[in-house]
Amino acid sequence: MDAQLQADRAALADTVRRFAENEIAPHVQAWDDAGEFPRALYARAAELGLLGLGYPEALGGTPASYALKLPAWIALARHGKSGGVLASLFSHNIGLPPVVLHASDAVRAEVVPAVLRGEKISALAITEPGGGSDVAALCTTARRDGEHYVVNGEKTFITSGMRADWITVAVRTGEERGAGGISMLLVPGDAPGLTRTRLAKMGWWCSDTAQLHFDNVRVPARYLLGNEGGGFRMVMGNFNGERIGLAAGALGFAEACLDEALAWSQGRKTFGAALIEHQVVRHKLVDMQMRIASTEAWLEAVSAQGDAHEAAGRFNAPEWVAQVCMLKNHATQTMQFCADQAVQILGGMGFMRGAVSERIYREVKVMMIGGGAEEIMKELAARQLGW
């Protein structure tokens, strides 16, 4: 890694750390209690260039490699200490890429800059009540009617689903079943016939999550992304960036758990000595650090591979996709282990609302399931490896 990239990474990480410590972490408990965070946070993140990181300059973004984005993602998790904030504040990172890559120039100009300025919110809607990871079996339909598509169906577990101004929706066009019949359609959040129902969750309380209902929703045909029938490939390609982001977030949350557990063990006295003076506690902390270090090294390696593949135009190289899947599992398992050990070290305090590790403990499972459950990741990795 060259000196300039190292300097840029350090500067970005420091900016993100200060933003997270000052404008996210102090308010997370109140936002969790309220079930949402202020929309003004989008504009503040945009002012710092965080929403536009990795997007074309012509659309108001700042092009960035995985190597540059990684420190930002990790720092936001470690110092912001809330998966709920990150999930909604950056939901555009799964909602916008299909628009950037496949929309017309006019639609890109209409949609993307306002989202990157923090004025509008973007979401992605793939999952349906009747099926999760089996994207090829989705049932929501979009029937062409003149210059519009008429959308009917439901989507569920949609992050930013209650507040999104633009929703990138996987739909079935035509009569073809399976992957070949899937298309991607950009749906305005104020479209008549679109209704939303808030969902209650185990974690991510301040991230609004919704079930969407489409009842004869008319969407201008210009909002079709790419060609009819090309949606499945878009969905699969979109997952790679999401999974690396989840892995980076999981690493940051694991570090947050270690930070809290270490500070607690140094200050808490039991039987006349600080907790950290007990061998069993020190060994728990070392076990956490071991897993964090391995995750960090793997994440750096996979990100470097991703940057190299993108530079060569190999965006979905099978061997790299396999690495992404396995990394996502490893990182979320690290997060799970560290959250569990941190709560154990904190004891009763780890069970109390307001403890960082208590929040992260509740958020572990959505990280292990979202973006592709562990079992799906293992099977996809095996197939990509030709096994």
Side-chain angles (χ1 to χ4, degrees):
M1 187 181 298
D2 64 48
Q4 185 58 56
L5 179 56
Q6 287 180 325
D8 291 343
R9 282 165 56 105
L12 180 59
D14 185 61
T15 295
V16 171
R17 176 190 59 77
R18 287 185 279 109
F19 170 68
E21 288 180 344
N22 295 329
E23 303 193 41
I24 296 179
H27 311 292
V28 167
Q29 189 58 53
W31 293 345
D32 269 356
D33 292 340
E36 63 181 21
F37 58 84
R39 283 189 71 127
L41 190 65
Y42 290 91
R44 180 60 183 139
E47 288 173 8
L48 295 175
L50 301 183
L51 298 189
L53 197 63
Y55 290 88
E57 189 173 359
L59 296 173
T62 303
S65 62
Y66 284 123
L68 185 59
K69 290 184 286 189
L70 272 183
W73 292 340
I74 296 168
L76 281 164
R78 182 176 186 176
H79 302 289
K81 311 179 193 302
S82 169
V85 171
L86 267 61
S88 280
L89 186 60
F90 294 93
S91 63
H92 69 290
N93 282 341
I94 56 175
L96 277 191
V99 180
V100 172
L101 294 173
H102 303 287
S104 67
D105 290 343
V107 169
R108 276 196 292 265
E110 178 184 2
V111 174
V112 178
V115 173
L116 300 187
R117 290 194 300 267
E119 298 167 2
K120 301 291 184 180
I121 298 172
S122 168
L124 178 71
I126 306 293
T127 304
E128 298 186 349
S133 297
D134 189 2
V135 176
L138 66 82
C139 298
T140 297
T141 60
R143 176 180 53 84
R144 185 69 182 256
D145 180 24
E147 294 304 309
H148 290 78
Y149 283 94
V150 181
V151 182
N152 284 281
E154 291 184 302
K155 298 291 180 179
T156 196
F157 310 146
I158 308 307
T159 300
S160 292
M162 294 301 296
R163 303 202 288 189
D165 302 289
W166 295 102
I167 308 168
T168 304
V169 185
V171 295
R172 186 167 297 284
T173 48
E175 300 299 326
E176 184 179 354
R177 310 307 297 174
I182 295 172
S183 303
M184 294 293 278
L185 192 63
L186 186 63
V187 178
D190 59 358
L194 170 62
T195 56
R196 323 181 195 206
T197 303
R198 184 179 296 274
L199 300 176
K201 310 180 295 297
M202 177 191 298
W204 283 9
W205 292 349
C206 64
S207 169
D208 76 77
T209 305
Q211 185 154 327
L212 309 181
H213 312 264
F214 300 88
D215 184 9
N216 290 320
V217 176
R218 296 184 65 83
V219 180
R222 70 178 183 275
Y223 290 139
L224 177 70
L225 304 180
N227 299 318
E228 283 195 9
F232 186 79
R233 184 177 294 275
M234 294 182 205
V235 172
M236 294 300 105
N238 204 47
F239 274 135
N240 294 325
E242 179 181 3
R243 289 163 184 161
I244 290 182
L246 284 166
L251 172 59
F253 291 128
E255 291 176 330
C257 289
L258 178 57
D259 291 341
E260 184 176 55
L262 178 59
W264 178 263
S265 65
Q266 290 170 330
R268 175 72 166 171
K269 296 289 183 72
T270 61
F271 304 103
L275 273 180
I276 200 167
E277 295 182 33
H278 299 291
Q279 184 185 68
V280 67
V281 174
R282 292 198 303 274
H283 287 189
K284 286 180 182 293
L285 295 168
V286 169
D287 285 340
M288 294 166 73
Q289 181 59 49
M290 286 168 52
R291 286 164 173 80
I292 286 171
S294 68
T295 302
E296 182 177 26
W298 198 358
L299 181 61
E300 290 283 357
V302 172
S303 297
Q305 293 167 8
D307 287 334
H309 284 309
E310 289 200 1
R314 300 180 70 235
F315 298 101
N316 294 298
E319 66 275 16
W320 181 68
V321 173
Q323 289 291 313
V324 170
C325 293
M326 293 186 290
L327 168 64
K328 194 259 185 184
N329 278 0
H330 182 76
T332 53
Q333 288 168 10
T334 293
M335 176 183 172
Q336 182 182 47
F337 179 86
C338 290
D340 180 75
Q341 294 301 296
V343 169
Q344 193 71 19
I345 290 171
L346 266 69
M349 187 57 66
F351 196 67
M352 295 295 103
R353 188 76 52 79
V356 172
S357 301
E358 183 271 339
R359 180 184 308 112
I360 293 174
Y361 190 94
R362 285 186 285 102
E363 294 180 349
V364 163
K365 275 301 175 183
V366 70
M367 300 285 283
M368 302 180 87
I369 295 169
E374 280 194 340
E375 296 78 7
I376 297 296
M377 293 296 90
K378 291 177 182 179
E379 184 62 18
L380 180 55
R383 291 182 181 180
Q384 296 297 309
L385 293 170
W387 297 349

